[in-house]
Amino acid sequence: MSTAESAEIFDRGYRAYDGPRTGVQSSMRAVFVATVQRALGLRRKFRYKIVPLATILIAYVPALVFLGITALLPSEIAGQVVAEYAGYFELITVMMLLLTAFVVPEVMGSDRKTGLFGLYMASPLSRWSYLGAKFVGVMAVLSLVTTMPSVFQMAGYSLLGIGPDGFVEILKTLFKIVVSGLILSIFFALFGMAASTLTNRHLFASAGIVMTTIATTGFTEAIIENTDSPAWVELFSVFQVPLELIVRVWGSSDEFPGITGVSTIASFGAWAGACVLFAGIILFGYRRMEVTK
Amino acid sequence: MDLVNTTTAEAPSPPSPSSVISAVAVSKSWGTNQVFSDVTAEVPPGITGLLGSNGSGKTTLLGMLLALHEPDSGQLRVLGQDPADAGPELRMHIGYAPEHHNLPDDVLAQDLVRHIAMVHGLPRREATTRSSDALWLVGLGEERARPIGTMSTGQRQRVKLAQAIAHGPKLALLDEPTDGLDPVQRDDMLALIRRIGTEFDIHVVLSSHLLEEVERIADNVVILANGKVRAAGPIDQLYQGQGGMTVVLDDGVTDVANTLQRAGYVAEVDRNTIRIGTDEPLEQLANAIRDAVVEHGAPLRRLDASRQSLEDLFLDEVYGS
């Protein structure tokens, strides 16, 4: 039975705070969590969840189909139908592009449009720690499309007895999947963030991301087909740059030969150069951004 | 007028340890535009009104207090720390409510306030409790689960105030906190700010272009104009030396005025009214008037103390008498 001596007042109302405060890393973690939540439409109305969740689920459909085919059809036929790991990354790149175009402008532009960026800058965060938290948040969301479907695919193949042989092979395959996922995620996260730095308008940024990808891909393909241009011209395609590096990770095959005549160093250089360019746009844009109004 | 703790100093004295904010010979420019030039000022504890016309440097000053901009030269200290050295650590103890009304429309008030508290370093549980407490304090306890987009301007202003104080700052920077409010809401908001500044150990810097509201709730004032702090210090001290008295006599007006002028006062005569200005405490002037009236046997009809409003003070400092 409770007594008067044991009674406590829990609701004391607003009062001064002298308790513990965590550091900048916790501030970054809070921004990271908010970024993931906003990107996926969590704690928001249902309509905000439709596009990100549908895009992510669709990215897993090929893996499910391949696993079904492998389980149901004879291995000779299944082997001709299902995609290799490198090919899977090519299959999901469209989903990747859609997710980038939808999610990144939402999590970057809305902070500036709603004044939240100013509130962040008045906190322990700096522009760079803020951008770091945003980048990791965007990467985490994009990884749901770039990395997890292939992990799911590998797990399924292993259960069906056609996965990597032995623990070491599993680790090797997993490592390649993670590296490939990072290549795609880093590239598209920076690409999306750079586009979102240039405008506060969600629609403009999304359109810019899609149009730049389509335009560079179409333009480079047209040049290659209609002129005697060297093969490295393809490295100017936003689509091709990360995929080409992923082919190098898995090794070229008949199905995915990669661009002949372009070295791995050149492929990496194109990817890294594009990433540096995108990062430069982001850093330059945010360095000049006004925050106290 | 004599300025209190302000402006250019050939040999700046070190900042007082009791000051919430102190600036010693601070200069700042954007390109060729000199925003501040060799400014020295101190802001004591309490509620301080930051007054200035457009382009006077209020925004830049707030940015410098938040360590978002560094001074080109001079020494700036906020809560005893140099913002340039202790930026993130310092901002952990500062709350900021911006001027704009934009907030994320689809976010619940309690989610935003809790999030900003967590960004300021509060553990999640504390942030949750305190965001609720802060929203109750500003009068939005029942509305805390509403999306901000469905709230009125007055409620949004309260959300901004709640997010600025939820993490228990030592200093709250409030940029135009009554902007867009009707007179009743403005009164409520001013009372709330006064309460925050007096009951919870939070020093408040209130940026406003409405002199009357600063006069009502602030203990101290900083007047900015043309890149300089034109006046700063406790409002009461600034008023000292800005006062005067008005005497209405039935007879003997000239005699009394001459006696006061001989005593060193500036006395202006208008028919049977004498207006006397002084830099001294009013009690001293009242005694001089009493003596002069007695000396000439002048029949006294009325004696009023006249004090300048903050608006007079502001106009006087910025544009001259």
Side-chain angles (χ1 to χ4, degrees), chain B residues 286-310:
Chain B
N287 290 339
I289 293 170
R290 180 200 62 201
D291 294 346
V293 167
V294 170
E295 181 184 335
H296 298 290
L300 178 65
R301 181 175 290 274
R302 209 176 79 214
L303 178 64
D304 288 331
S306 55
R307 196 178 79 158
Q308 281 187 316
S309 70
L310 192 55

Side-chain angles (χ1 to χ4, degrees), chain A residues 27 30-35 37-38 44 106-127 130 134 200 286 289-293, chain B residues 66 68 96-120 148 156 159-160 163-164:
Chain A
S27 307
V31 173
F32 164 78
V33 171
T35 301
Q37 284 181 338
R38 187 153 191 94
R44 299 172 76 194
E106 175 64 26
V107 299
M108 298 300 293
S110 64
D111 278 2
R112 302 197 301 270
K113 208 160 57 179
T114 63
L116 206 51
F117 178 65
L119 296 182
Y120 284 142
M121 292 302 99
S123 78
L125 292 165
S126 66
R127 290 164 201 259
Y130 163 80
K134 281 283 170 186
N200 284 353
Y286 273 84
M289 212 164 276
E290 193 172 13
V291 294
T292 45
K293 280 196 174 169
Chain B
L66 287 166
L68 300 175
Y96 172 59
E99 180 181 359
H100 62 75
H101 299 310
N102 296 338
L103 290 171
D105 282 347
D106 53 344
V107 175
L108 309 182
Q110 63 187 9
D111 285 355
L112 177 76
V113 176
R114 178 180 56 206
H115 177 56
I116 297 300
M118 288 173 69
V119 169
H120 277 85
I148 295 169
R156 282 166 181 252
V159 171
K160 286 197 292 182
Q163 64 80 29

Side-chain angles (χ1 to χ4, degrees), chain B:
Chain B
M1 132 182 192
D2 291 333
L3 302 182
V4 180
N5 293 332
T6 57
T7 63
T8 55
E10 299 250 327
S13 57
S16 161
S18 63
S19 297
V20 175
I21 298 163
S22 66
V24 179
V26 168
S27 296
K28 177 71 184 173
S29 59
W30 297 116
T32 55
N33 180 29
Q34 187 82 37
V35 184
F36 287 118
S37 175
D38 203 19
V39 160
T40 296
E42 290 192 10
V43 172
I47 301 173
T48 299
L50 181 59
L51 289 171
S53 49
N54 288 340
S56 59
K58 282 184 293 181
T59 302
T60 302
L61 179 60
L62 288 180
M64 286 162 69
L65 298 180
L66 287 166
L68 300 175
H69 323 303
E70 280 189 41
D72 297 334
S73 62
Q75 189 186 8
L76 185 65
R77 295 192 83 80
V78 180
L79 300 171
Q81 293 181 292
D82 184 346
D85 295 337
E89 173 64 27
L90 181 63
R91 287 196 295 269
M92 209 171 277
H93 299 283
I94 297 178
Y96 172 59
E99 180 181 359
H100 62 75
H101 299 310
N102 296 338
L103 290 171
D105 282 347
D106 53 344
V107 175
L108 309 182
Q110 63 187 9
D111 285 355
L112 177 76
V113 176
R114 178 180 56 206
H115 177 56
I116 297 300
M118 288 173 69
V119 169
H120 277 85
L122 263 63
R124 185 178 178 82
R125 195 170 170 180
E126 278 289 347
T128 303
T129 311
R130 291 190 59 84
S131 62
S132 179
D133 291 342
L135 284 163
W136 276 103
L137 178 72
V138 301
L140 291 177
E142 301 284 0
E143 314 290 335
R144 65 190 187 282
R146 263 178 63 187
I148 295 169
T150 66
M151 291 182 160
S152 66
T153 303
Q155 288 171 321
R156 282 166 181 252
Q157 286 284 28
R158 286 165 185 266
V159 171
K160 286 197 292 182
L161 182 59
Q163 64 80 29
I165 61 167
H167 63 279
K170 292 175 183 165
L171 171 65
L173 305 175
L174 311 179
D175 202 352
E176 305 277 2
T178 59
D179 191 32
L181 303 185
D182 65 36
V184 175
Q185 290 174 328
R186 198 160 67 96
D187 286 350
D188 290 347
M189 178 61 87
L190 291 175
L192 194 54
I193 293 169
R194 182 74 199 166
R195 193 174 164 212
I196 287 165
T198 52
E199 287 185 28
F200 301 111
D201 262 354
I202 300 173
H203 308 299
V204 177
V205 172
L206 166 81
S207 156
S208 177
H209 64 277
L210 296 173
L211 311 178
E212 181 257 342
E213 67 184 33
V214 170
E215 192 169 25
R216 272 171 59 184
I217 66 165
D219 306 312
N220 319 295
V221 67
V222 174
I223 298 177
L224 295 173
N226 302 323
K228 290 189 182 297
V229 175
R230 305 303 295 261
I235 288 181
D236 289 345
Q237 281 185 31
L238 291 178
Y239 280 143
Q240 271 187 13
Q242 297 305 307
M245 298 194 99
T246 302
V247 186
V248 181
L249 301 169
D250 282 343
D251 196 13
V253 175
T254 309
D255 294 336
V256 171
N258 288 339
T259 301
L260 289 169
Q261 282 168 352
R262 278 196 300 276
Y265 294 105
V266 177
E268 294 175 6
V269 176
D270 180 15
R271 285 182 290 186
N272 63 339
T273 303
I274 309 171
R275 292 193 180 82
I276 311 115
T278 182
D279 291 342
E280 298 168 351
L282 289 185
E283 192 181 342
Q284 207 167 322
L285 174 60
N287 290 339
I289 293 170
R290 180 200 62 201
D291 294 346
V293 167
V294 170
E295 181 184 335
H296 298 290
L300 178 65
R301 181 175 290 274
R302 209 176 79 214
L303 178 64
D304 288 331
S306 55
R307 196 178 79 158
Q308 281 187 316
S309 70
L310 192 55
E311 186 169 358
D312 297 329
L313 187 67
F314 178 76
L315 294 173
D316 194 28
E317 284 304 328
V318 175
Y319 301 110
S321 302

